Amino acid sequence: MKSSIAVMADEDTVTGFMLGGIKEGYPVKDMEKAGEILEDLVKKDFSVIITTEKIGDKFRDTIDKLTSERALPMIIEIPDKTGSIERESDPMRELIRRVIGVEMVK
């Protein structure tokens, strides 16, 4: 497994991360293709895949299936330029709980 990071998000978010030094950026222009891009990134053995909350919500079943089978890649969802989405559960908290097995913050 490569120790590398990929960003799959809207063009502005991908550009920002690439300016910050991330080398692998995959802009999503069509939400239908985002699922295919996500599965391809998992097959390429990235350690961390950063995506936006909107993409994460759209492909929740796919993400849950891909992350339940193994610890890596970690798929991290961040807010996009429009801001954070109100949710019942926090995906970051769930990721931490799943990876280390403990509830860190209540």
Side-chain angles (χ1 to χ4, degrees), residues 18-53:
M18 291 183 82
L19 288 170
I22 302 295
K23 294 182 176 147
E24 298 286 336
Y26 300 87
V28 173
K29 297 177 184 171
D30 181 8
M31 282 299 247
E32 293 177 14
K33 301 249 183 204
E36 296 172 17
I37 294 170
L38 181 62
E39 290 181 12
D40 287 343
L41 293 177
V42 171
K43 289 177 187 172
K44 289 182 180 179
D45 287 336
F46 285 100
S47 300
V48 177
I49 300 171
I50 301 170
T51 190
T52 60
E53 293 174 335

Side-chain angles (χ1 to χ4, degrees), residues 4 8 10-11 13 17 20 22 32 39 42-43 46-48 52 55-56 58 61 63-64 67 80 85 89-90 92 94:
S4 58
M8 179 186 83
D10 59 87
E11 290 185 64
T13 302
F17 274 93
I22 302 295
E32 293 177 14
E39 290 181 12
V42 171
K43 289 177 187 172
F46 285 100
S47 300
V48 177
T52 60
I55 294 172
K58 177 88 172 159
D61 293 336
I63 289 172
D64 289 344
T67 57
D80 64 5
I85 297 174
S89 67
D90 181 14
M92 187 61 75
E94 293 299 317

Side-chain angles (χ1 to χ4, degrees), residues 83-100:
S84 190
I85 297 174
E86 293 291 324
R87 302 173 176 207
E88 289 183 24
S89 67
D90 181 14
M92 187 61 75
R93 179 179 291 170
E94 293 299 317
L95 175 67
I96 292 168
R97 186 184 56 75
R98 184 177 58 80
V99 171
I100 63 173

Side-chain angles (χ1 to χ4, degrees), residues 68-87:
S68 68
E69 297 170 358
R70 56 191 198 179
L72 294 176
M74 288 191 301
I75 300 176
I76 299 173
E77 298 173 33
I78 61 169
D80 64 5
K81 62 185 174 184
T82 61
S84 190
I85 297 174
E86 293 291 324
R87 302 173 176 207

